[in-house]
């Protein structure tokens, strides 16, 4: 655990008692503060009480008397579509609002570091799609290369629940827009921007707010190195704003759409080959085509971003190449779960928006596509140009008929996952890929995208066994 610094002997309120909130409360107390905990749900409050934490009703008048700060969990809205009532009370009382990410960056470095031979570093990864795979891949490369590393944030453990730094360690953080938007301290050594596409627009009041929430990772503290995907205009803008001179190597530009050969530092993938260029010449190349854990152009983008981040902390190209070949991928992200009679079954339940589903569809030929769920704002029009590889779509979800009507390919309305998998297998031929890439949230039928992916895996195993 990382003891929180700066609140010794003070009262600090914690709103939201999920994984990050509970970790924040314990870390505050470990650092000498008094944590005053509250959750809107009785279940959350009981969980906190069971861990010995002090409950304090933050909804009551006067709840913020002698309170030094309010720490808010990521899922709680603090601006759009409307601030949570407790946050409004904190504002009225003049109490600063922060989150566990802000606490981490103010508390991670300690006097113990003076005795280290090599200063610990933090790599923070954000973006719309691929940030989990990119973060896990960076962590995997570091460990395979002999560098101590911990993985935390929006993946793995809460940021305050990790162990204090070791000599030369690299902490890899996956950070969502919910986490970067509110944190008062954001000072990674290396910041990574994968890409940007429409998502969480209600929470950020549109694309501008969404972009600015993620941009704070690069603007608040100023990382020593910035790895920035420039295949969208937002990334191009960010790279230009981050660089201080033409041709400098503070920014490492990443692309999977074009060759980057300027005088700066760049990493790009073209026709399945990753290339690193510096000062106008190629310095390394890796063939990505045979790496089973990283199929498709979207995973090649993840590989480029992870490669660049690891190069920024001193890992050599050959070490990175060896580690890429041993990366198994993450569950629910282009995960091959079975092969049967020449038919491959791929679980990409994390493809919860149109952009990520489009990238999954482009990664495979002859696709039997399982899709549908709680549709997000913007509709499916942006997905239609990417259905060329789809032999047939099998639509699930409570609004399956409406979802199917928006598609321009052959469709079957299935409703349930079991029916979709059964029909897809019955129709499939050798060489086909049965792909779950929903292009929608899971909450109409499942508690999470993980639960949806697990159901897909279970259904595949049952159908194959019949």
């Amino acid at each position: 655990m990382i003891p929180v610094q700066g609140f010794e002997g003070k009262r600090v309120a914690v709103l939201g008692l999920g994984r990050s909130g509970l970790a924040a409360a314990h870390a505050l107390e470990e650092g000498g503060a008094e944590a005053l905990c509250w959750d809107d749900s009785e279940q959350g409050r009981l969980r906190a009480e069971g861990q010995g934490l002090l409950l304090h009703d933050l909804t009551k008048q006067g709840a913020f008397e002698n309170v030094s700060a309010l720490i808010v969990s990521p899922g709680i809205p603090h601006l759009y579509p409307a601030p949570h009532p407790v946050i409004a009370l904190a504002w009225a009382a003049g109490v600063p609002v922060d989150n566990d990410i802000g606490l981490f960056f103010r508390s991670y470095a300690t006097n113990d570091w003076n005795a280290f031979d090599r200063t610990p570093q933090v790599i923070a990864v954000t973006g719309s799609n691929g940030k989990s795979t990119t973060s896990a891949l960076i962590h995997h490369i570091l460990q395979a290369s002999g560098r101590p590393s911990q993985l935390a944030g929006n993946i793995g453990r809460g940021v305050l629940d990790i162990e204090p730094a070791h000599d030369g360690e690299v902490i890899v953080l996956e950070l969502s827009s919910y986490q970067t938007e509110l944190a008062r301290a954001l000072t990674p050594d290396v910041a990574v921007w994968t890409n940007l596409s429409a998502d969480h627009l209600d929470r950020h009041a549109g694309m501008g707010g969404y972009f600015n929430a993620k941009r704070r990772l690069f603007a608040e503290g100023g990382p020593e190195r910035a790895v920035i995907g420039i295949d969208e205009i937002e990334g191009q803008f960010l790279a230009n704003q981050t660089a201080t001179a033409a041709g400098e190597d503070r920014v490492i530009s990443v692309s999977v759409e074009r060759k980057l050969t300027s005088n700066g530092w760049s990493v790009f993938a073209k026709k399945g080959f990753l290339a690193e260029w510096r000062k106008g010449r190629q310095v390394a190349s890796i063939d990505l085509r045979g790496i089973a854990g990283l199929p498709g152009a979207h995973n090649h983008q993840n590989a480029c971003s992870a490669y660049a981040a690891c190069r920024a902390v001193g890992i050599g190209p050959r070490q990175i190449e060896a580690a890429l070949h041993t990366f198994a991928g993450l569950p629910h992200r282009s995960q091959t779960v079975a092969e049967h009679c020449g038919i491959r079954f791929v679980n990409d339940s994390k493809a919860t928006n149109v952009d990520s589903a489009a990238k999954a569809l482009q990664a495979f030929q002859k696709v039997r596509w399982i899709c549908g769920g709680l549709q997000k704002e913007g509709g499916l029009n942006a997905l239609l140009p990417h259905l060329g590889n789809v032999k047939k779509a099998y639509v699930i979800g409570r609004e399956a008929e409406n979802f199917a009507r928006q598609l321009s390919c052959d469709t079957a309305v299935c409703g349930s996952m079991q029916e979709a998998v059964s029909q897809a297998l019955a129709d499939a031929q050798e060489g086909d890929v049965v792909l779950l890439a929903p292009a929608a949230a899971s909450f109409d039928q499942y508690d999470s995208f993980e639960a949806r992916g697990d159901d897909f895996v279970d259904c595949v195993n049952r159908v194959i066994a019949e």
Side-chain angles (χ1 to χ4, degrees), residues 309-440:
C310 290
R311 292 289 286 131
V313 296
I315 307 299
R318 299 285 73 83
Q319 291 174 292
I320 297 174
E321 181 176 14
L324 292 178
H325 282 277
T326 59
F327 182 66
L330 289 179
H332 316 296
R333 297 163 177 87
S334 296
Q335 174 197 19
T336 297
V337 298
E339 292 196 24
H340 175 70
C341 298
I343 301 162
R344 183 177 177 185
F345 295 83
V346 177
N347 170 20
D348 204 339
S349 183
K350 186 61 171 64
T352 58
N353 59 41
V354 166
D355 186 66
S356 56
K359 289 175 178 176
L361 290 172
Q362 292 172 72
F364 304 100
Q365 303 292 323
K366 301 179 182 178
V367 176
R368 302 283 175 179
W369 178 34
I370 299 177
C371 57
L374 188 62
Q375 191 171 321
K376 294 188 175 181
E377 185 179 344
L380 302 178
N381 285 341
L383 189 58
L384 301 185
H386 306 288
L387 302 184
N389 294 339
V390 177
K391 298 178 75 172
K392 189 172 183 178
Y394 305 81
V395 188
I396 63 173
R398 294 179 185 172
E399 299 180 353
E401 291 186 6
N402 178 54
F403 197 101
R405 279 196 294 269
Q406 299 176 63
L407 300 177
S408 57
C409 58
D410 187 17
T411 62
V413 174
C414 299
S416 73
M417 184 71 74
Q418 181 66 51
E419 183 181 354
V421 172
S422 296
Q423 282 202 36
L425 179 59
D427 294 343
Q429 301 171 329
E430 185 176 351
D432 286 356
V433 174
V434 177
L435 170 67
L436 171 65

Side-chain angles (χ1 to χ4, degrees), residues 226-247:
V227 175
I228 301 177
I230 61 168
D231 287 336
E232 298 91 25
I233 58 169
E234 293 88 354
Q236 296 164 29
F237 172 87
L238 183 62
N240 183 268
Q241 288 281 297
T242 305
T244 57

Side-chain angles (χ1 to χ4, degrees), residues 28-47:
L28 283 161
E29 296 206 327
E30 189 74 16
E34 180 183 16
L36 309 176
C37 302
W38 190 251
D39 193 285
D40 289 336
S41 76
E42 183 179 4
Q43 182 182 12
R45 298 194 294 270
L46 289 173
R47 186 165 53 240

